[in-house]
C-alpha cells in the first residue's frame, strides 16, 4: 500500500483503540503522546507524568501504546500479583531483527523458560563457595585497589578502572578465569557491544521501531548496529569453538562449559532450545545487562562517599570495629555490617541506574488498580518511581542509609526496594551484582578515603540521562588509609 494512505489508516486505527487504554496524553499523528515528554528526557520526566495522569497512564510511542505503572502499589500489583500475566517482554521490530527472540532477556515462551532456568541453575553452580565467582571477584577487587593506589592520592577518574574490573568478572563467568579484558578478542567484543548498546538509546533506533518497513531498506547506523551484533555473535562463537576442543580435558568451569554439556545431554530432545545461537545471545546479555549497571552503581557509590564524608566515616568505623585491619571480608559478612549494607542499598535506591524500568508485555487482559490493560500491551513498570515513592520512603530525595535500618540499628530489608525488578522476570544476575557491589565497595573503603580534589568545594550528584542514569564525569582523590588491611 502507498505510504500516505497506510499512515492515515494506521492513525485512524490508533484513535479508535485509544479509548481502551488507561488515560494519558492525546496521541498525535506519527509522534503519538511523545510531545508530552518534552525535547529531552530528564530524571523526573516520568514523575511529572505520574503527578498529572495518576499511577497508571498510557503514552503512545508513535502508534504503539505503552502503559506505565508508577509508584509501589501499582508496580507491586503488576509484577507480584500478576507475575505470570506480565511474564512476556515486548518484541519490538529492532529486537526482532537483531536478537530474533533468542537468549533470556528478550525471549518469550518455551525458549525463555528453558534458557532462564538453565541460567539460574548455572549461575548458582558457578557462584557457590569460595572457589567460585566470589573468589574471582575478591581478586578483581584487589586489582582495583592496586590501580587506585598507583594514583598516590592524586585526583583520578575511577570510571575506566571500575568498568574493566566489572567486565573481567563477566568474562570469567562466561569464558573462564583465564580470560580478561586485556585479551584482544575480548576488547573487540566489548567495544562492538558498547557501540550496539549506545545505538539502543539513539534517534535512529526510535525511527526503526516506529517505521521498520521503511528503515529496513535504508542505509544508516541501524545497519551498522545489526552488523556489530553479528560480529559479536561470531566472536563469542570463536570462544565456544575453543571450549569444544578442550571440553573433555576438565570439569565444567564456566558458563560455556556447562552449556555445551547441556547441549550434549539434550541432543535427542526435539524441543530443545539449547544451541549455539542461544548460548551466544545469553553471553552477550550477561555483558550487556551486567556491566554498565554494576559499574554505574559503583561510580555512584564513590561519588556519594566523597559528597557525604560523615557517612563514609561511619562505614569505615563499622568495618574496623568488626574486623580490625587484618582479615578479609566476604559476602556473608554483610550480616555483621548493618550500616554498610544499609548504605549500599541506599546508594542503589537514591541513584537508580535506570530512568524507569525494563518493559514487560501482558499475555492476557489484566486489570491493575481498577484499570483494564488489553492483552499484548507494552507495559513499563517504573521502578525509579517505586524507589522514590514519597508514600514509602521518609526522605525519598535525600541520601539516607536510615531508610534501611530499624530503630536499634539492625538492617531492615524493604519490600519496596525493587531495584532488580520482581516476579517471574526478576533480574537473573541479582545475586552476582549484589556480591560484586558489596565486595568492591568494602575493599575500596577499607583501603582509601574518597575525597573531593583540593579546591573543589562541591560536586554534582545529579544524574545524567543516557543508556543508564550515570554521574556526570568526575575526579576524586583515593587517599590511602593508614590502617588499611
Ligand atoms: C546493579 C546491577 C543490576 C541491576 C540494577 C539490574 C536490574 C535489572 C532489572 C530491573 C531487570 C528487569 C527485571 C524485571 O523485568 O522485573 C533485569 C533483568 C535481567 N538482568 Fe539485571 N541488573 C543488574 C545486574 C545484572 C547482572 C550482573 C547480570 C548478569 C550477569 C544481569 C542479567 C540480567 C538478565 C539476564 C535479565 C533478564 C531476566 C529475564 O528477562 O528473565 N543483571 N536486571
Amino acid at each position: 500500500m502507498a505510504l500516505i494512505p497506510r499512515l492515515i489508516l494506521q492513525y485512524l486505527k490508533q484513535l479508535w483503540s485509544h479509548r481502551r487504554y488507561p488515560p494519558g496524553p492525546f496521541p498525535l499523528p506519527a509522534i503519538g503522546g511523545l510531545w508530552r515528554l518534552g525535547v529531552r528526557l530528564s530524571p523526573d520526566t516520568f514523575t511529572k507524568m505520574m503527578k498529572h495522569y495518576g499511577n497508571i497512564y498510557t503514552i503512545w510511542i508513535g502508534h504503539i501504546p505503552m502503559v506505565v505503572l508508577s509508584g509501589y502499589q501499582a508496580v507491586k500489583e503488576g509484577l507480584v500479583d500478576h507475575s505470570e500475566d506480565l511474564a512476556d517482554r515486548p518484541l519490538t521490530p529492532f529486537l526482532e531483527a537483531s536478537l530474533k527472540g533468542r537468549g533470556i532477556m528478550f525471549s518469550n515462551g518455551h525458549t525463555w523458560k528453558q534458557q532462564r532456568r538453565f541460567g539460574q541453575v548455572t549461575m548458582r553452580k558457578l557462584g557457590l563457595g569460595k572457589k567460585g565467582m566470589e573468589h574471582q571477584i575478591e581478586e578483581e577487587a584487589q586489582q582495583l585497589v592496586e590501580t587506585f593506589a598507583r594514583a598516590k592520592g592524586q585526583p583520578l577518574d575511577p570510571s575506566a578502572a571500575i568498568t574493566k574490573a566489572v567486565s573481567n568478572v563477566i568474562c570469567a563467568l562466561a569464558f573462564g578465569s583465564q580470560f580478561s579484558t586485556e585479551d584482544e578478542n575480548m576488547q573487540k567484543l566489548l567495544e562492538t557491544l558498547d557501540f550496539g548498546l549506545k545505538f539502543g538509546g539513539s534517534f535512529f533506533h526510535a525511527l526503526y521501531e516506529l517505521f521498520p518497513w521503511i528503515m529496513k531498506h535504508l542505509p544508516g547506523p541501524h545497519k551498522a548496529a545489526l552488523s556489530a551484533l553479528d560480529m559479536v555473535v561470531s566472536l563469542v562463537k570463536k570462544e565456544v569453538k575453543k571450549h569444544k576442543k578442550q571440553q573433555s580435558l576438565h570439569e565444567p568451569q564456566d558458563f560455556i562449559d556447562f552449556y555445551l554439556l547441556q547441549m550434549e545431554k539434550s541432543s535427542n530432545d526435539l524441543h530443545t532450545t539449547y544451541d549455539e545461537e542461544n548460548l551466544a545471545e545469553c553471553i552477550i546479555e550477561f555483558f550487556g545487562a551486567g556491566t554498565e549497571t554494576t559499574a554505574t552503581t559503583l561510580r555512584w557509590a564513590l561519588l556519594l562517599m566523597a559528597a557525604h564524608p560523615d557517612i563514609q566515616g561511619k562505614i569505615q568505623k563499622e568495618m574496623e570495629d568488626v574486623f580490625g585491619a587484618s582479615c578479609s571480608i566476604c559476602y556473608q559478612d554483610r550480616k555483621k555490617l548493618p550500616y554498610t549494607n544499609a548504605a549500599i542499598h541506599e546508594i542503589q535506591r537514591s541513584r537508580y541506574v535506570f530512568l524507569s524500568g525494563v518493559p514487560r508485555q501482558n499475555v492476557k487482559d489484566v486489570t491493575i488498580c481498577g484499570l483494564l490493560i488489553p492483552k499484548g500491551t507494552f507495559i513499563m513498570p517504573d521502578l525509579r518511581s517505586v524507589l522514590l515513592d514519597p508514600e514509602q520512603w521518609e526522605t525519598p530525595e535525600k541520601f539516607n542509609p536510615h531508610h534501611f535500618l530499624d530503630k536499634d540499628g539492625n538492617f531492615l530489608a524493604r519490600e519496596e526496594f525493587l531495584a532488580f525488578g520482581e516476579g517471574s522476570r526478576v533480574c537473573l544476575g541479582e545475586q552476582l551484582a549484589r556480591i560484586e557491589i558489596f565486595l568492591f565497595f568494602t575493599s575500596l573503603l577499607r583501603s582509601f578515603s574518597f575525597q573531593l580534589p583540593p579546591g573543589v568545594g562541591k560536586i554534582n550528584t545529579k544524574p545524567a540521562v543516557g543508556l543508564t542514569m550515570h554521574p556526570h564525569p568526575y575526579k576524586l582523590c583515593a587517599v590511602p588509609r593508614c590502617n588499611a588491611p
Side-chain angles (χ1 to χ4, degrees):
M1 201 192 294
L3 187 62
I4 303 290
R6 182 176 180 156
L7 290 175
I8 293 175
L9 189 67
Q10 193 175 55
Y11 184 57
L12 292 175
K13 270 196 201 157
Q14 180 177 352
L15 287 181
W16 179 247
S17 48
H18 168 60
R19 320 158 283 128
R20 298 168 59 221
Y21 290 89
F26 184 78
L28 297 176
I31 58 168
L34 293 177
W35 59 271
R36 190 68 175 76
L37 300 184
V39 190
R40 264 171 185 270
L41 290 174
S42 74
D44 60 359
T45 297
F46 288 99
T47 318
K48 285 185 189 151
M49 296 290 287
M50 178 182 76
K51 281 189 185 146
H52 197 274
Y53 295 103
N55 280 6
I56 302 191
Y57 54 89
T58 308
I59 307 174
W60 286 81
I61 303 173
H63 58 279
I64 304 161
M66 175 175 85
V67 171
V68 184
L69 309 179
S70 266
Y72 178 60
Q73 283 313 327
V75 171
K76 179 182 156 292
E77 204 176 315
L79 297 191
V80 180
D81 305 349
H82 292 281
S83 175
E84 293 308 313
D85 304 337
L86 266 64
D88 272 5
R89 299 257 187 232
L91 282 189
T92 63
F94 188 76
L95 284 176
E96 235 164 312
S98 52
L99 310 182
K100 305 179 180 79
R102 293 176 185 143
I104 301 169
M105 197 160 204
F106 293 104
S107 65
N108 287 322
H110 179 57
T111 304
W112 170 67
K113 278 200 183 123
Q114 212 168 50
Q115 300 296 317
R116 180 172 168 106
R117 181 87 203 107
F118 176 80
Q120 272 173 324
V121 171
T122 309
M123 285 265 198
R124 226 170 288 143
K125 282 184 191 160
L126 289 168
L128 285 179
K130 271 277 172 192
K131 278 201 213 134
M133 287 309 299
E134 196 171 337
H135 180 58
Q136 181 71 34
I137 298 167
E138 276 172 8
E139 280 187 6
E140 283 303 331
Q142 199 41 47
Q143 294 283 326
L144 193 59
V145 166
E146 282 166 26
T147 307
F148 283 12
R150 284 199 284 277
K152 296 197 164 54
Q154 293 303 307
L156 68 99
D157 177 346
S159 300
I162 290 176
T163 302
K164 184 177 162 203
V166 172
S167 306
N168 275 345
V169 172
I170 305 286
C171 260
L173 167 89
F175 304 116
S177 51
Q178 73 275 29
F179 279 87
S180 87
T181 47
E182 248 102 271
D183 183 281
E184 200 188 314
N185 259 351
M186 219 49 67
Q187 292 232 346
K188 213 156 137 199
L189 187 146
L190 292 176
E191 278 164 24
T192 321
L193 198 62
D194 191 47
F195 170 78
L197 284 173
K198 283 197 176 119
F199 173 78
S202 71
F203 174 66
F204 274 88
H205 174 224
L207 273 185
Y208 194 103
E209 298 296 18
L210 292 176
F211 310 108
W213 65 91
I214 308 175
M215 295 302 284
K216 263 182 210 167
H217 305 291
L218 296 179
H222 52 292
K223 295 273 182 190
L226 288 172
S227 2
L229 198 77
D230 286 344
M231 156 103 124
V232 178
V233 170
S234 65
L235 283 171
V236 174
K237 281 188 180 169
K238 252 192 208 166
E239 296 306 333
V240 173
K241 209 168 168 188
K242 280 192 210 158
H243 274 66
K244 268 186 184 165
K245 277 196 193 144
Q246 303 165 348
Q247 205 180 357
S248 55
L249 299 180
H250 55 63
E251 294 282 295
Q253 283 176 355
D254 53 52
F255 193 82
I256 296 184
D257 282 343
F258 278 105
Y259 202 103
L260 289 174
L261 217 64
Q262 185 63 34
M263 273 168 67
E264 223 170 85
K265 276 190 211 159
S266 44
S267 57
N268 292 329
D269 175 0
L270 289 179
H271 303 290
T272 182
T273 62
Y274 298 112
D275 55 38
E276 283 190 26
E277 266 63 37
N278 274 312
L279 166 58
E281 183 46 40
C282 285
I283 288 179
I284 290 169
E285 280 175 17
F286 294 162
F287 280 102
T291 307
E292 183 71 11
T293 45
T294 312
T296 302
T297 306
L298 287 165
R299 283 162 68 197
W300 276 123
L302 302 188
L303 181 66
L304 287 170
M305 289 304 101
H308 299 273
D310 50 330
I311 295 177
Q312 177 171 207
K314 279 188 195 167
I315 296 170
Q316 285 164 332
K317 182 168 183 324
E318 183 180 65
M319 289 194 286
E320 246 160 57
D321 288 351
V322 179
F323 295 102
S326 53
C327 64
S328 69
I329 295 183
C330 66
Y331 184 56
Q332 192 63 15
D333 293 332
R334 72 195 182 286
K335 294 179 183 153
K336 298 179 194 153
L337 299 170
Y339 189 81
T340 307
N341 197 12
I344 291 175
H345 281 73
E346 181 63 0
I347 290 162
Q348 285 199 270
R349 183 202 70 80
S350 68
R351 296 298 183 281
Y352 190 43
V353 293
F354 292 121
L355 175 64
S356 175
V358 183
R360 301 283 193 96
Q361 184 170 295
N362 48 339
V363 294
K364 60 178 195 186
D365 285 359
V366 282
T367 303
I368 299 177
C369 298
L371 290 169
L372 175 81
I373 308 176
K375 176 184 169 179
T377 301
F378 185 152
I379 299 178
M380 180 62 88
D382 184 359
L383 302 174
R384 167 173 293 270
S385 72
V386 177
L387 298 173
L388 297 175
D389 189 338
E391 286 180 21
Q392 309 299 329
W393 308 97
E394 238 172 87
T395 56
E397 298 297 332
K398 201 175 145 221
F399 178 61
N400 170 13
H402 285 274
H403 283 137
F404 294 93
L405 290 169
D406 70 11
K407 60 179 181 359
D408 301 319
N410 300 310
F411 177 74
L412 190 65
R414 300 277 305 260
E415 272 183 11
E416 305 84 355
F417 181 73
L418 294 186
F420 294 97
E422 190 48 277
S424 52
R425 286 272 186 169
V426 67
C427 174
L428 189 86
E430 172 170 356
Q431 192 64 3
L432 176 64
R434 282 178 180 272
I435 299 175
E436 282 186 85
I437 294 167
F438 181 81
L439 293 181
F440 281 126
F441 183 72
T442 49
S443 302
L444 289 172
L445 258 73
R446 285 181 99 191
S447 303
F448 308 102
S449 281
F450 290 91
Q451 297 175 3
L452 302 186
V456 178
K458 216 171 166 247
I459 198 153
N460 189 354
T461 57
K462 298 256 179 295
V465 183
L467 200 60
T468 55
M469 302 288 282
H470 51 87
H472 293 270
Y474 67 80
K475 282 191 175 176
L476 292 178
C477 299
V479 180
R481 300 181 66 227
C482 38
N483 45 357

